[in-house]
C-alpha cells in the first residue's frame, strides 16, 4: 500500500494529462457543455471520407489551383465543364463504399475555389446543372443517400473564396480585380452572395458539419466569420464547423502533414490524400498502400484525432479502382477492430511502448496496442502500474500469454509486461491487442529507482 502511495501522485498526474479534456469552447462566450455535446459524435467518429469532385477531374488538373497558379488559362479550365458528364455517377455505390469503410462521416465539395457548384445554386451562375454537360444537381442525390444511413454524418465542404466571381478581389495569383478598401460596396456584394449560398446549403441539407476552406485570403472581420457562424447556427444550432474560418471553428484541420506531437486542440482531424492529389488526376498513380494509410489512421487515433481520407472520383462519377481497393481494405480492418476504434481516446506516452501505437478505451481501463508488421515473438510495456486481467487479440478474442519481468517487491518501479504474439494471430496489416486493466490506467513516469547504501 505504502509502495503504491509513493508514486500514485505521478501516476495520477499522468492520467490527468492524457485525459486532458481541453473541453473549452474556442468560440467566445459559448459554454463548455454545449460545445462538448455538439462535438460528441465527431470525437467518436475517428474516420471520415473526403470527396473532391469537380470539373477539374475532366483533364485531371489540380482543383482550382491550376488556373490560379496560371498553369492552365482560366477559360480552358472552365471549358472542362462542357465535358463533365457524371454519366456513371451512382451515389448509392459511393455511400455504400464509404459506410463499409468504417467512416462515420463524409465531406463532399459543394464548391471549390473555382466557384463550380455541385448543387443547384440560385445565388450563383456556375453550377453542375446550369453550366456542365451533366446538366443536373449532383449534390442532392448524394445527400439523400447519406441520409438513408443511420450512422453516417454529412459534411459540406465550401470554399469561402471564389476566384471566378467578378466581385471577389483575386482572380489568379497575379490578377487582382480590385481592392476591398477602394470598393467596399463590391465586397459587400460578394459577402451577400456567400451568405446566400450558405443559406441554401444550410437550409436544404441541414449538414452536421461545415468544412470551410480558402479563409486565408481575408481576415475574420472581412469575411465576417462571427456573422457566418451565427447565421448557420440560427437554424442549425449543432452544426460542427472546422477551423478554416479564421480561428472561429470547433476543431483544427492539419493537412497532409501528420502531427508529430498531439495537437493542442481537443478535437482535430488530419485531412489526407490517398495519392498526391485531392481531385482525380490521370497521371497520379502514386498511391499510398493500405498499410501506410492504416498506420496513419491509427496514428491519428493514438493522438485522439480523426482521419479525413480523400477520394477523387473521375469526371463520370466512377471512383478510381485503387481508391475502391483502399476503401475495401479499410472496411475489412475497421470491421474487425471496431471495439478498438470508436470508443477510444488518446493513448499513453510513447516511451511505454515501442511496438507501434496505443489508445485507451474511453473508460480508461483497456489499453489497445496497434502493431504494424511482425513483432519479434513478443511486445512489452513499461511502467504499467495496474494489474493486468486479460490480454487478447482484438477481432478474434484469442487470449495471449503474458508475464511480468523485474516485478521487484521492494521497488516502486513496476515490472515490464511481456506479451507473446505468435505469428498465427497477426493481422495482414495491423494487429490490435487489448490489455484489460484492473481499473483506469496508472503509469509510472519516474527515472527508475536509484539504490544507495543509505536506502
Ligand atoms: C487546400 C486546398 C485544396 C484542398 C484542401 C483540402 O487548402 O486549397 O485544394 O481542397 O486544402 O484540405
Amino acid at each position: 500500500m505504502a509502495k503504491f502511495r509513493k508514486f500514485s501522485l505521478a501516476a495520477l498526474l499522468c492520467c490527468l494529462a492524457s485525459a486532458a479534456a481541453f473541453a473549452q469552447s474556442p468560440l467566445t462566450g459559448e459554454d463548455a457543455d454545449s460545445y462538448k455535446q455538439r462535438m460528441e459524435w465527431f470525437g467518436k467518429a475517428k474516420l471520415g471520407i473526403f470527396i473532391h469532385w469537380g470539373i477539374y477531374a475532366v483533364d485531371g488538373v489540380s482543383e482550382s489551383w491550376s488556373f490560379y497558379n496560371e498553369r492552365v488559362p482560366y477559360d480552358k479550365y472552365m471549358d472542362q465543364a462542357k465535358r463533365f458528364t457524371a454519366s456513371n455517377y451512382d451515389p448509392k455505390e459511393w455511400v455504400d463504399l464509404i459506410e463499409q469503410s468504417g467512416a462515420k462521416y463524409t465531406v463532399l465539395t459543394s464548391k471549390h475555389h473555382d466557384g463550380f457548384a455541385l448543387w443547384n445554386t440560385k445565388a450563383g451562375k456556375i453550377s453542375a446543372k446550369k453550366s456542365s454537360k451533366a446538366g443536373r444537381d449532383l449534390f442532392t442525390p448524394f445527400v439523400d443517400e447519406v441520409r438513408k444511413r443511420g450512422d453516417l454524418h454529412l459534411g459540406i465542404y465550401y470554399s469561402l473564396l471564389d476566384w471566378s466571381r467578378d466581385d471577389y478581389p483575386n482572380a489568379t495569383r497575379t490578377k487582382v480585380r480590385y481592392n476591398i478598401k477602394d470598393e467596399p460596396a463590391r465586397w459587400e456584394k460578394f459577402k451577400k452572395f456567400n451568405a446566400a449560398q450558405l443559406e441554401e446549403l444550410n437550409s436544404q441539407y441541414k449538414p452536421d458539419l461545415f468544412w470551410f476552406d480558402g479563409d486565408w485570403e481575408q481576415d475574420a472581420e472581412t469575411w465576417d466569420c462571427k456573422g457566418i457562424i451565427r447565421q448557420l447556427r440560427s437554424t442549425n444550432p449543432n452544426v460542427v464547423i472546422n477551423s478554416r474560418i479564421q480561428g472561429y471553428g470547433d476543431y483544427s484541420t492539419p493537412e497532409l502533414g501528420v502531427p508529430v506531437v498531439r495537437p493542442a486542440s481537443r478535437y482535430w482531424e488530419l485531412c489526407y490524400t490517398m495519392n498526391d492529389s485531392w481531385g482525380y488526376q490521370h497521371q497520379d498513380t502514386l498511391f499510398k498502400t493500405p498499410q501506410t494509410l492504416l498506420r496513419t489512421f491509427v496514428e491519428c487515433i493514438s493522438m485522439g484525432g480523426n482521419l479525413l481520407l480523400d477520394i477523387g472520383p473521375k469526371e463520370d462519377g466512377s471512383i478510381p479502382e485503387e481508391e475502391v481497393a483502399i476503401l475495401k481494405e479499410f472496411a475489412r480492418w475497421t470491421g474487425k477492430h471496431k471495439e478498438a476504434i470508436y470508443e477510444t481516446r488518446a493513448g499513453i506516452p510513447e516511451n511505454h511502448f515501442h511496438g507501434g501505437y496505443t489508445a485507451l478505451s474511453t473508460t480508461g481501463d483497456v489499453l489497445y496496442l496497434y502493431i504494424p508488421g511482425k513483432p519479434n515473438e513478443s511486445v512489452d510495456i513499461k511502467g504499467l502500474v495496474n494489474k493486468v486481467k486479460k490480454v487478447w487479440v482484438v477481432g478474434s478474442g484469442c487470449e495471449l500469454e503474458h508475464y511480468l519481468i523485474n516485478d521487484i517487491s521492494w521497488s516502486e518501479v513496476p515490472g515490464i509486461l511481456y506479451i507473446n504474439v505468435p505469428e498465427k494471430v497477426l493481422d495482414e496489416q495491423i494487429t490490435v491487442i487489448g490489455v484489460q486493466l484492473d481499473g483506469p490506467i496508472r503509469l509510472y513516469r519516474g527515472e527508475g529507482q536509484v539504490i544507495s547504501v543509505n536506502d
Side-chain angles (χ1 to χ4, degrees), residues 127-188:
S127 73
K129 181 162 168 82
K130 286 182 272 215
S131 343
S132 80
K133 178 110 196 266
R136 63 192 168 108
D137 172 0
L138 300 173
F139 204 80
T140 309
F142 177 77
V143 176
D144 290 346
E145 204 48 55
V146 172
R147 291 307 191 199
K148 283 183 200 157
R149 323 288 168 122
D151 207 15
L152 199 58
H153 289 83
L154 173 73
I156 297 185
Y157 169 106
Y158 181 81
S159 169
L160 286 167
L161 64 82
D162 187 333
W163 293 323
S164 278
R165 296 268 310 180
D166 189 49
D167 49 16
Y168 188 77
N170 302 338
T172 70
R173 59 193 281 268
T174 60
K175 261 186 246 147
V176 176
R177 298 184 179 98
Y178 72 101
N179 212 311
I180 296 178
K181 271 196 242 92
D182 305 334
E183 296 186 53
R186 200 166 167 189
W187 175 249
E188 282 309 309

Side-chain angles (χ1 to χ4, degrees), residues 8-188:
S8 63
L9 184 63
L12 179 74
L13 286 177
C14 176
C15 291
L16 289 177
S18 66
F22 313 83
Q24 227 163 7
S25 163
L27 295 171
T28 358
E30 188 188 8
D31 82 279
D33 279 351
S34 60
Y35 172 61
K36 239 176 110 181
Q37 250 175 35
R38 174 167 80 242
M39 298 306 291
E40 201 187 339
W41 71 262
F42 184 83
K44 288 182 177 171
K46 306 297 178 195
L47 181 66
I49 300 296
F50 211 175
I51 311 170
H52 276 71
W53 195 34
I55 57 173
Y56 39 82
V58 174
D59 292 338
V61 291
S62 86
E63 64 291 336
S64 313
W65 291 100
S66 47
F67 75 82
Y68 179 83
N69 286 327
E70 298 168 349
R71 297 215 175 90
V72 178
Y74 178 76
D75 291 341
K76 188 165 181 240
Y77 178 94
M78 291 314 283
D79 188 68
Q80 294 175 98
K82 293 188 196 135
R83 290 167 286 133
F84 182 71
T85 64
S87 56
N88 285 311
Y89 174 42
D90 183 349
K92 180 175 178 306
E93 206 177 292
W94 283 21
V95 180
D96 279 348
L97 270 170
I98 291 168
E99 198 182 29
Q100 285 155 15
S101 75
K104 300 295 177 196
Y105 64 112
T106 178
V107 182
L108 173 60
T109 46
S110 66
K111 185 187 88 167
H112 206 260
H113 314 323
D114 58 11
F116 180 85
L118 283 186
W119 86 103
N120 186 17
T121 178
K122 307 237 163 11
K125 291 199 184 85
I126 314 174
S127 73
K129 181 162 168 82
K130 286 182 272 215
S131 343
S132 80
K133 178 110 196 266
R136 63 192 168 108
D137 172 0
L138 300 173
F139 204 80
T140 309
F142 177 77
V143 176
D144 290 346
E145 204 48 55
V146 172
R147 291 307 191 199
K148 283 183 200 157
R149 323 288 168 122
D151 207 15
L152 199 58
H153 289 83
L154 173 73
I156 297 185
Y157 169 106
Y158 181 81
S159 169
L160 286 167
L161 64 82
D162 187 333
W163 293 323
S164 278
R165 296 268 310 180
D166 189 49
D167 49 16
Y168 188 77
N170 302 338
T172 70
R173 59 193 281 268
T174 60
K175 261 186 246 147
V176 176
R177 298 184 179 98
Y178 72 101
N179 212 311
I180 296 178
K181 271 196 242 92
D182 305 334
E183 296 186 53
R186 200 166 167 189
W187 175 249
E188 282 309 309

Side-chain angles (χ1 to χ4, degrees), residues 50 52 56 62-65 109 112-113 157 159 161 163 211-216 242 244 253-256 269 271-273 278-279 308 310:
F50 211 175
H52 276 71
Y56 39 82
S62 86
E63 64 291 336
S64 313
W65 291 100
T109 46
H112 206 260
H113 314 323
Y157 169 106
S159 169
L161 64 82
W163 293 323
W211 212 99
F212 286 108
D213 199 13
D215 66 334
W216 61 83
N242 76 336
R244 298 189 183 182
T253 54
E255 176 171 329
L256 295 174
E269 163 205 85
C271 53
Y272 214 60
T273 52
W278 294 105
L308 183 63
D310 182 68

Side-chain angles (χ1 to χ4, degrees), residues 224-376:
D224 185 21
C225 294
K226 271 193 193 171
I228 292 176
I229 291 176
R230 208 177 305 121
Q231 178 201 343
L232 299 176
R233 293 231 167 95
S234 68
T235 54
N236 193 1
N238 292 323
V239 67
V240 171
I241 293 172
N242 76 336
S243 61
R244 298 189 183 182
I245 182 146
Q246 291 289 355
Y248 281 91
D250 292 321
Y251 70 91
S252 61
T253 54
E255 176 171 329
L256 295 174
V258 184
V260 174
V261 295
R262 183 178 171 187
S265 106
R266 164 67 186 82
Y267 299 98
W268 62 273
E269 163 205 85
L270 171 72
C271 53
Y272 214 60
T273 52
M274 288 187 180
N275 50 4
D276 276 339
S277 321
W278 294 105
Y280 178 69
Q281 297 199 23
H282 307 65
Q283 84 296 344
D284 185 355
T285 51
L286 214 66
F287 282 92
K288 294 151 190 134
T289 63
Q291 161 83 213
T292 309
L293 291 167
L294 282 165
R295 274 172 89 139
T296 305
F297 179 40
V298 294
E299 208 171 341
C300 291
I301 293 177
S302 77
M303 290 191 277
N306 293 358
L307 175 70
L308 183 63
L309 185 60
D310 182 68
I311 57 172
K314 298 179 184 176
E315 69 73 26
D316 68 352
S318 60
I319 302 175
E321 59 182 29
E322 296 91 336
E323 296 183 352
V324 172
I326 289 167
L327 290 175
K328 289 201 163 151
E329 190 51 11
F330 265 72
R332 184 197 66 79
W333 193 87
T334 59
K336 179 174 169 190
H337 299 110
K338 277 191 215 78
E339 64 173 280
I341 299 174
Y342 307 105
E343 294 292 328
T344 63
R345 55 178 163 96
I348 58 177
E350 277 155 37
N351 292 351
H352 294 269
F353 179 63
H354 294 288
Y357 311 91
T358 63
L360 287 162
S361 61
T362 38
T363 45
D365 61 345
V366 180
L367 176 65
Y368 292 110
L369 312 176
Y370 308 86
I371 306 168
K374 285 187 193 172
N376 214 346

